[in-house]
């Protein structure tokens, strides 16, 4: 069988993930012989999601943790977004570390420009300690969201596990909702699950309603009790309190976590839990050197769960 080529340059190799807005393949750039990630969406579904994602990457180009778009266009029955290849997802690394991250690792992640854990991927090579954000298919400018808020009815979108309360209430989302969702990711990484996971219901709507009720009835303190310091409860309560027009005080939130990091006498050495575990597997010691060469199991690939 002949190779499938995109733009006569990018070879489609094998499938590595699938979501509600496309299929992702590992690929090869035949000109540079480098790896690439190739995302495809059917033409019949329209170009809007992938086009919006490509435009978002273009607008954010040059920022830390932002992917480079190598090519976007139509190829046969698909719209195609070709991006630089990355390493394992945060979820892959979480599973590798027995589904628990230490407070130090969570605080190191919190200090970076952090959607769900499958949408955070580590870089490769010299960028191995950089956390990249992917999958901007649902991203929307605040001014556009404000316009839509006036005349469109919202539906629950994204991954329900991390959805903000306003998302559950089918209200237009803003800056604070992204931060609230991030707070749930912190809790998830500290305890291995969230209190609303595994709820039983006869229909999808009943399940969504049960998750919403459980989430609304748990304060930041209740969510973090026994697993994370009070700064995380403060963070969750603060992000929940923000209205649509309220721009978060990012400096305040960063200080909150940096002061905790300093109080715990941690070092900003880029030694994460997976760094220590991998170093121990290779060298038989639990103490990697400061500022180590980024390392994670290379065989990891992100399949991407959606709920």
């Amino acid at each position: 069988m002949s190779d499938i080529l995109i733009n006569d340059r990018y070879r489609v190799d094998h499938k590595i993930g699938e979501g509600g807005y496309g299929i992702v393949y590992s690929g090869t750039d035949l000109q540079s012989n480098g790896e690439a990630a190739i995302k495809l969406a059917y033409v019949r579904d329209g170009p809007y999601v992938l086009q919006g994602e490509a435009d978002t990457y273009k607008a954010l180009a040059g920022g830390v943790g932002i992917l480079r778009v190598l090519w976007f266009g139509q190829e046969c029955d698909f719209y195609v977004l070709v991006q630089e290849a990355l390493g394992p997802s945060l979820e892959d690394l979480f599973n590798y570390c027995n589904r628990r991250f230490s407070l130090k690792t969570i605080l190191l992640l919190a200090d970076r420009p952090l959607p769900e854990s499958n949408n955070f991927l580590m870089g490769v090579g010299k960028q191995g300690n950089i956390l990249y954000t992917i999958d901007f298919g649902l991203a929307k400018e605040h001014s556009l969201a404000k316009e839509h808020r006036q005349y469109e009815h919202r539906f629950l979108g994204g991954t329900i596990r991390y959805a903000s309360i306003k998302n559950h209430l089918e209200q237009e989302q803003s800056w604070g909702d992204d931060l609230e969702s991030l707070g749930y990711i912190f809790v998830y990484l500290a305890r291995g699950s969230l209190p609303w996971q595994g709820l039983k219901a006869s229909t999808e709507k009943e399940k969504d309603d049960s998750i919403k009720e459980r989430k609304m009835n748990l304060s930041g303190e209740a969510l973090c009790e026994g697993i994370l310091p009070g700064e995380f409860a403060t963070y969750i309560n603060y992000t929940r309190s923000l209205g649509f027009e309220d721009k978060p005080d990012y400096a305040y939130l960063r200080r909150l976590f940096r002061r905790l990091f300093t109080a715990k006498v941690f070092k900003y050495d880029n030694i994460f839990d997976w760094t220590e575990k991998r170093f121990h597997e290779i060298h038989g010691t639990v103490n990697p050197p400061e500022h180590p060469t980024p390392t994670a199991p290379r065989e990891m690939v992100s399949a991407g769960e959606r709920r």
Side-chain angles (χ1 to χ4, degrees):
M1 187 172 68
S2 60
D3 291 336
I4 299 174
L5 294 182
I6 303 297
N7 195 35
D8 293 324
R9 174 173 177 174
Y10 303 100
R11 186 184 68 216
V12 177
D13 293 334
H14 60 272
K15 181 178 174 181
I16 57 174
E18 183 173 0
Y21 297 97
I23 306 170
V24 182
Y25 289 84
S26 174
T28 302
D29 181 343
L30 298 180
Q31 289 188 15
S32 68
N33 204 35
E35 294 181 57
I38 303 171
K39 191 170 186 177
L40 296 90
Y42 284 105
V43 167
R44 66 169 181 260
D45 295 330
Y48 312 109
V49 173
L50 281 193
Q51 179 69 68
E53 189 167 355
D55 290 345
T56 300
Y57 283 123
K58 183 177 180 180
L60 299 174
V64 176
I66 300 300
L67 273 173
R68 287 187 301 117
V69 173
L70 305 178
W71 186 80
F72 173 75
Q74 183 176 343
E75 187 76 43
C76 298
D77 295 332
F78 296 92
Y79 289 110
V80 185
L81 180 63
V82 183
Q83 305 164 312
E84 63 178 315
L86 294 176
S89 75
L90 202 56
E91 184 73 13
D92 293 327
L93 295 168
F94 189 50
N95 288 326
Y96 176 64
C97 294
N98 302 315
R99 300 190 62 77
R100 289 290 191 283
F101 280 164
S102 67
L103 177 60
K104 179 189 173 183
T105 286
I106 293 172
L107 286 171
L108 283 172
L109 294 172
D111 196 54
R112 292 154 195 257
L114 286 176
E116 59 170 290
S117 57
N118 278 300
N119 290 345
F120 292 119
L121 278 73
M122 302 304 294
V124 294
K126 293 181 179 179
Q127 283 72 46
N129 281 324
I130 295 177
L131 189 65
Y132 286 79
T133 306
I134 65 167
D135 202 355
F136 286 96
L138 295 177
K140 188 185 298 183
E141 290 187 23
H142 184 267
S143 58
L144 186 59
K146 183 177 181 179
E147 180 182 341
H148 287 182
R149 183 176 181 233
Q150 298 174 12
Y151 61 86
E152 282 189 2
H153 176 68
R154 280 275 309 175
F155 295 95
L156 179 61
T159 304
I160 192 171
R161 180 191 299 175
Y162 308 115
S164 69
I165 290 175
K166 292 184 183 67
N167 192 354
H168 279 285
L169 296 174
E170 299 180 356
Q171 299 175 7
E172 188 63 66
Q173 297 175 74
S174 187
W175 301 291
D177 297 273
D178 291 336
L179 295 178
E180 181 185 340
S181 295
L182 185 57
Y184 300 143
I185 293 177
F186 294 149
V187 175
Y188 172 76
L189 296 176
R191 61 178 291 169
S193 64
L194 288 164
W196 42 83
Q197 285 184 246
L199 296 178
K200 305 298 182 183
S202 56
T203 67
E204 201 66 26
K205 186 180 185 308
E206 286 182 8
K207 182 177 181 180
D208 291 352
D209 288 342
S210 296
I211 292 173
K212 175 180 68 176
E213 291 174 13
R214 187 72 182 275
K215 202 174 287 186
M216 292 178 70
N217 288 327
L218 287 170
S219 65
E221 288 78 9
L223 280 170
C224 298
E225 185 178 8
I227 58 164
L228 285 170
E231 286 82 355
F232 287 87
T234 299
Y235 172 94
I236 290 172
N237 292 335
Y238 173 80
T239 58
R240 285 177 168 183
S241 73
L242 295 170
F244 181 83
E245 298 285 359
D246 296 331
K247 193 165 185 178
D249 187 341
Y250 296 104
Y252 159 71
L253 294 175
R254 179 157 287 189
R255 283 197 305 272
L256 195 68
F257 290 138
R258 284 189 170 180
R259 287 172 178 171
L260 175 60
F261 195 95
T262 301
K264 295 293 183 180
V265 201
F266 294 142
K267 292 183 179 180
Y268 286 100
D269 51 15
N270 281 325
I271 297 178
F272 298 90
D273 292 338
W274 58 86
T275 317
E276 289 191 355
K277 182 172 181 180
R278 188 61 169 172
F279 196 88
H280 175 65
E281 289 175 346
I282 296 173
H283 302 284
T285 175
V286 295
N287 295 312
E290 288 193 20
H291 310 294
T293 300
T295 178
R298 192 66 185 91
E299 64 275 11
M300 289 183 179
V301 290
S302 178
E305 61 182 352
R306 306 313 304 172
R307 289 188 72 80

